[in-house]
Structures are given as C-alpha cells and as structure tokens.
C-alpha cells in the first residue's frame, strides 16, 4: 500500500474567506461540493488543503485525509490492528471509497482511494 497524498482539513464556516486567504499563497480551488472545498498549488498539485463546514455522509469531520492506492488493504490493516474505526468503509457518490479511523492522539483520519 502506498500513500498518494495527505491533505489537512480545516473545519470552518468561512469557506469564501479561506479561499481568498489561501489564494494569497497561490492556492487555487480544484474541488467544491458546497460542504467541502479543496485548494491546490498549481505548481505542486499534491500540495493541498481542504476547508469543510461538516462532513455530509459521516458522523464527524476528519482532521486530515490520506489518499492511498489500496483503501481496502488500508481498512483491513487498521481493523486488524484494533484501531478505532469511526466511519465504516463505503463508496461515496463523488467517486471515492473511504473510511475514518482515529489515530493515537485522537485525530480523525479520512483514508480514501479514488475509484
């Protein structure tokens, strides 16, 4: 299993203001579902930050996302390790398969793969 990217998630209602602020640093909007917006650097597209009001299909808002090349393998490893699965593995309508797991510090990690 390989990590493709890691994206911090900022929970905020100030989505427009965040777009403007991070735009000053060179970030551009690459995804916006209304409840989550992702900004990326045009010169280094894997350098990203997401701003989320709340997660639309999960009970909690994650602190970060980790995209992996095999989300099913990542789920099995986390489950078998005894880590707390906060949100079960599922396919989302926007084209990702994901689950949430709590890290040792209590942070919620959205582990995902694109279908």
């Amino acid at each position: 299993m390989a990590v493709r990217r890691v994206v911090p998630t900022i929970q905020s209602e100030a989505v427009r203001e965040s777009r403007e602020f991070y735009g000053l640093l060179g970030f551009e909007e690459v995804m916006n579902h209304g409840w989550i917006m992702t900004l990326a650097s045009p010169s280094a597209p894997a350098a990203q930050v997401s701003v989320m009001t709340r997660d639309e299909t999960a009970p909690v808002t994650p602190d970060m996302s980790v995209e992996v090349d095999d989300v099913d393998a990542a789920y099995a490893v986390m489950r078998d390790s005894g880590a707390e699965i906060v949100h079960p593995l599922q396919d989302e309508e926007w084209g990702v398969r994901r689950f949430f797991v709590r890290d040792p510090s209590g942070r919620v990690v959205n582990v995902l793969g694109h279908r």
Side-chain angles (χ1 to χ4, degrees):
M1 168 180 35
V3 174
R4 292 189 171 158
R5 66 186 168 120
V6 177
V7 182
T9 303
I10 300 167
Q11 185 173 7
S12 175
E13 295 294 327
V15 176
R16 182 183 54 78
E17 295 87 349
S18 295
R19 181 187 310 109
E20 292 171 5
F21 175 82
Y22 287 101
L24 296 172
L25 295 171
F27 285 90
E28 296 178 355
E29 184 178 301
V30 294
M31 180 192 76
N32 192 332
H33 289 297
W35 55 275
I36 182 172
M37 172 188 64
T38 300
L39 307 167
S41 165
S43 61
Q48 299 181 354
V49 63
S50 289
V51 180
M52 180 184 293
T53 56
R54 65 177 179 81
D55 197 293
E56 283 286 312
T57 64
V60 297
T61 299
D63 296 295
M64 64 187 278
S65 293
V66 176
E67 181 183 355
V68 295
D69 65 346
D70 188 341
V71 71
D72 291 282
Y75 181 77
V77 165
M78 288 295 172
R79 182 195 62 225
D80 294 349
S81 78
E84 179 187 354
I85 303 298
V86 179
H87 182 63
L89 183 63
Q90 68 183 41
D91 293 323
E92 300 289 1
E93 65 182 35
W94 58 90
V96 300
R97 183 165 172 78
R98 70 181 186 154
F99 69 96
F100 292 4
V101 63
R102 193 172 309 278
D103 81 3
S105 69
R107 301 286 180 194
V108 175
V109 181
N110 173 29
V111 182
L112 69 115
H114 284 88
R115 292 192 307 259

